[in-house]
Amino acid sequence: QVRLLESGGGSVQAGGSLNISCEVSGWKHTSACMGWFRRGPEDSREEVAGISTADGTTYYAESVEGRFTISHASAKFTIHLQMNNLKPGDTGMYVCMADSSPCSELYDDYDPRRFGYWGRGTRVTVSS
C-alpha cells in the first residue's frame, strides 16, 4: 500500500523560512513524479512545486519561483520543500502528491487530480 507522509510546517512570521518533507512508502516503481500543492479557502488547489526523481527536473509555480526550492533525497522517495521569504499568501495546507507518470506529462497540463496518490497535508501559517 502506497502512503505519503508529510512532516514539518508550522507557524512563522512573514519573511521567515520553513522546511517541509514528504516520504513515500510502499512505492513499487523505479521513479516518481512528486510535488506539492497548496489547499486554500474553498478547497482551492494551487500548484506549488514538483520534481522528477528520475532526472531531478523541477517545476515551480510563478508565485514561489525564487523563494522555494524543492529537492529529493537520492535513492529515496522523499522530497523536501525549503520555503524562504514566506508571505501571508503562502498560508495553507500543503499536500504532497506522487504518481508514476513522467513529470513532463503531469506538469504539461497541470491538475493535482492527475496524481494518483496524495498525503493528508501539513499546515503552514504565515502571519504578517
Side-chain angles (χ1 to χ4, degrees), residues 10 15 29 37 42 47 50 54 64 67 71 86 90-92 108 121 125:
H29 305 276
F37 72 87
E42 299 180 358
E47 176 187 358
V64 307
R67 298 188 297 123
S71 61
L86 282 159
D90 295 321
T91 293
D108 181 56
T125 303

Side-chain angles (χ1 to χ4, degrees), residues 22-40:
C22 173
E23 180 177 359
V24 180
S25 60
W27 195 254
K28 302 299 184 184
H29 305 276
T30 57
S31 63
C33 179
M34 298 181 66
W36 300 89
F37 72 87
R38 179 167 60 226
R39 191 192 298 273

Side-chain angles (χ1 to χ4, degrees), residues 86-113:
L86 282 159
K87 304 176 181 180
D90 295 321
T91 293
M93 182 71 78
Y94 283 68
V95 179
C96 180
M97 51 189 182
D99 197 272
S100 58
S101 297
C103 274
S104 57
E105 294 180 7
L106 292 167
Y107 281 91
D108 181 56
D109 183 16
Y110 177 78
D111 184 336
R113 293 172 296 181

